[in-house]
Amino acid sequence: WKATEKQTGNIVAVKQLDKQLLMRLKKAQYALSEKEILIRCTHPNIIKLHYTLQDQHSLCKYTLKFP
């Protein structure tokens, strides 16, 4: 999804993962691994992970800042 940060006005991409689906398919570890890789990765062709969120329905919401 494309969204705008309220505080800064920056355009960001949001990736929302369904928690129940990930748990049922036993894929939660892959989502956590993806998060760790994006946190550590610094490359001009890869969008930087800005922050993550979690609620009762979504395991991770990745918010990636567009360059």
Side-chain angles (χ1 to χ4, degrees), residues 1-55:
W1 300 348
K2 182 179 174 182
T4 304
E5 285 183 308
K6 288 184 179 182
Q7 293 177 341
T8 64
N10 290 334
I11 297 173
V12 295
V14 179
K15 179 178 180 180
Q16 184 174 353
L17 303 171
D18 184 283
K19 186 184 281 188
Q20 291 178 351
L21 179 63
L22 287 173
M23 296 299 187
R24 188 173 67 237
L25 297 175
K26 298 181 180 170
K27 301 287 184 181
Q29 185 59 43
Y30 293 112
L32 295 174
S33 295
E34 180 183 12
K35 175 185 144 186
E36 291 301 318
I37 290 167
L38 288 172
I39 286 171
R40 293 183 182 146
C41 191
T42 54
H43 190 277
N45 294 333
I46 298 176
I47 296 173
K48 182 72 176 160
L49 178 64
H50 198 60
Y51 53 86
T52 62
L53 305 168
Q54 185 175 169
D55 63 22

